[in-house]
Amino acid sequence: MNTYIALLRGINVSGHKIIKMAELKKMFENLGFQNVRTYIQSGNLVFETNETAIPKLEKSIRKAIENTFGFDVQIQILIPDEIHKALEANPFLKDNSLDIKQHYFVFLNEIPSEENWNILKNMELKGEQMALADKILFVYYANGAGKSKLTTNLIESKLKVAATARNLNTTKKLLEIASG
């Protein structure tokens, strides 16, 4: 069995796209996935399956969510090693002067073009710091993610790729669950 981490974007936020985790877990089990575990209400799941084609998994889960809950949700499937590498590669974790609560990982569905990355990284963003490594954008929100103009929507619009963000604690916890 292969272990995967599913990140759903934009569910249970501000009263939109509401999905109870127990219902989402059941839907995953009905798809034949094993050892399904959810983490907090923002669309994080760890599951096991013999399937190895990640695009096929993403497509079947996305279709099942639309059929079950009546709306489309962007989904990204990661393997635990990708999360592990993201944690190790985060350049901001090496700086002890930065508030640990302001570290975020923006998981991209593909590597953005250099041209689009240059557009995003050259924006004036009042203390926000960014670094890109393949399909992961590391962000340090100096004044907190909730106050920043550097939203996932803005990131997607500038990079021209789908994205979903998780904070450091959630990212670490998902790896812990997947490794457990």
Side-chain angles (χ1 to χ4, degrees):
M1 286 275 182
N2 301 300
T3 301
Y4 296 103
I5 298 160
L7 304 176
L8 282 62
R9 178 163 187 257
I11 68 162
N12 300 336
V13 178
S14 303
H16 298 281
K17 295 186 178 181
I18 302 300
I19 301 177
K20 292 183 178 173
M21 292 300 100
E23 293 173 14
L24 186 60
K25 179 181 180 196
K26 184 172 178 63
M27 186 208 79
F28 267 62
E29 291 169 343
N30 289 341
L31 288 171
F33 302 139
Q34 308 273 317
N35 201 16
V36 178
R37 291 146 290 167
T38 63
Y39 178 67
I40 64 177
Q41 296 296 310
S42 57
N44 306 294
L45 296 101
V46 176
F47 65 98
E48 296 174 4
T49 181
N50 288 324
E51 180 61 58
T52 58
I54 289 177
K56 183 177 177 182
L57 285 170
E58 290 172 340
K59 185 177 180 182
S60 67
I61 293 167
R62 195 169 181 164
K63 182 177 180 185
I65 289 171
E66 189 163 7
N67 291 340
T68 305
F69 301 104
F71 47 79
D72 186 35
V73 172
Q74 178 190 308
I75 182 167
Q76 288 190 33
I77 306 281
L78 302 169
I79 60 172
D81 193 50
E82 288 174 292
I83 300 280
H84 180 74
K85 287 179 180 175
L87 288 165
E88 285 186 344
N90 186 335
F92 307 123
L93 290 176
K94 295 169 181 67
D95 185 343
N96 292 331
S97 70
L98 300 178
D99 182 354
I100 198 106
K101 294 181 206 149
Q102 305 308 332
H103 293 271
Y104 279 74
F105 298 80
V106 183
F107 297 98
L108 310 173
N109 73 336
E110 60 186 276
I111 298 172
S113 72
E114 189 172 336
E115 177 184 349
N116 291 340
W117 166 233
N118 286 331
I119 291 168
L120 181 65
K121 77 177 180 181
N122 291 320
M123 292 182 68
E124 292 287 328
L125 293 167
K126 294 189 181 180
E128 317 301 25
Q129 297 180 49
M130 294 179 284
L132 180 66
D134 294 324
K135 295 185 343 181
I136 300 172
L137 179 65
F138 303 100
V139 180
Y140 177 75
Y141 288 105
N143 301 305
K147 297 177 184 173
S148 177
K149 292 182 181 182
L150 185 61
T151 64
T152 305
N153 286 339
L154 177 72
I155 291 167
E156 285 183 327
S157 73
K158 298 301 180 191
L159 294 181
K160 308 284 190 240
V161 300
T164 188
R166 298 296 186 273
N167 67 27
L168 175 62
N169 287 338
T170 297
T171 304
K172 285 175 148 180
K173 186 64 177 180
L174 288 170
L175 180 60
E176 180 185 314
I177 293 167
S179 301

